[in-house]
Amino acid sequence: RNKCKIYADGELLNPKGKMLLCTVANGQYVGGGYKCAPRSENNDGLLEVCFVKPISIFKFLALIGDYKNGTHLVPKYEKIITYRRAKKVVVEPQNDQFAICIDGEIKRAKNYTVEVIPGAVKFAAPIKVTEKV
């Protein structure tokens, strides 16, 4: 079992180093349609951090449908879910290395930092050109 500490803009989200699930996103959806970050806005310069504390399998089964639909950020789950918006997220493993899934790829490393770099990627969108006849 992986143990780590997760910081969102310096705030330690799990002082005991335990977790069930943590997603860091810059869009609303991850992993084949799970709406883990329903408040996300791609152009606001912030990452969405959805941290789920360790819970029983029964609580997890009750949660997963709402997590998939993006309806999990409600008072019903406030004792098990921490949701933050941050410019920088740091993951510090408590073991030698930590496994993390980045866009479907499993990676191992000693530390992970995810940070927003405003304006780092430029996009060009096609425009519709109409000719006058």
Side-chain angles (χ1 to χ4, degrees):
R1 184 180 285 216
N2 288 322
K3 290 185 179 181
C4 66
K5 291 192 177 177
I6 300 167
Y7 298 86
D9 284 343
E11 177 190 1
L12 179 59
L13 300 183
N14 61 335
K16 294 181 181 178
K18 296 179 181 182
M19 71 168 187
L20 174 68
L21 171 71
C22 184
T23 55
V24 178
N26 190 30
Q28 293 186 354
Y29 293 88
V30 298
Y34 285 82
K35 195 173 182 180
C36 70
R39 299 177 185 160
S40 177
E41 296 177 26
N42 294 20
N43 61 355
D44 66 359
L46 295 171
L47 298 164
E48 310 297 307
V49 183
C50 185
F51 173 82
V52 182
K53 295 177 182 177
I55 54 177
S56 72
I57 188 70
F58 301 109
K59 285 185 182 177
F60 176 75
L61 291 172
L63 166 68
I64 196 67
D66 286 328
Y67 182 82
K68 183 168 179 62
N69 295 327
T71 55
H72 57 289
L73 302 180
V74 294
K76 174 181 174 180
Y77 299 120
E78 67 185 10
K79 290 184 180 178
I80 60 171
I81 293 177
T82 301
Y83 191 87
R84 293 288 186 271
R85 303 179 88 209
K87 290 185 179 194
K88 183 176 181 180
V89 179
V90 176
V91 179
E92 293 179 351
Q94 293 181 322
N95 303 328
D96 239 1
Q97 289 191 337
F98 186 79
I100 190 168
C101 180
I102 302 173
D103 199 26
E105 298 289 325
I106 303 296
K107 303 286 183 184
R108 291 192 173 277
K110 293 187 180 211
N111 290 302
Y112 290 96
T113 300
V114 182
E115 191 168 4
V116 174
I117 304 173
V121 178
K122 302 287 184 198
F123 289 94
I127 59 171
K128 183 178 180 181
V129 179
T130 57
E131 290 184 35
K132 292 184 179 181
V133 180

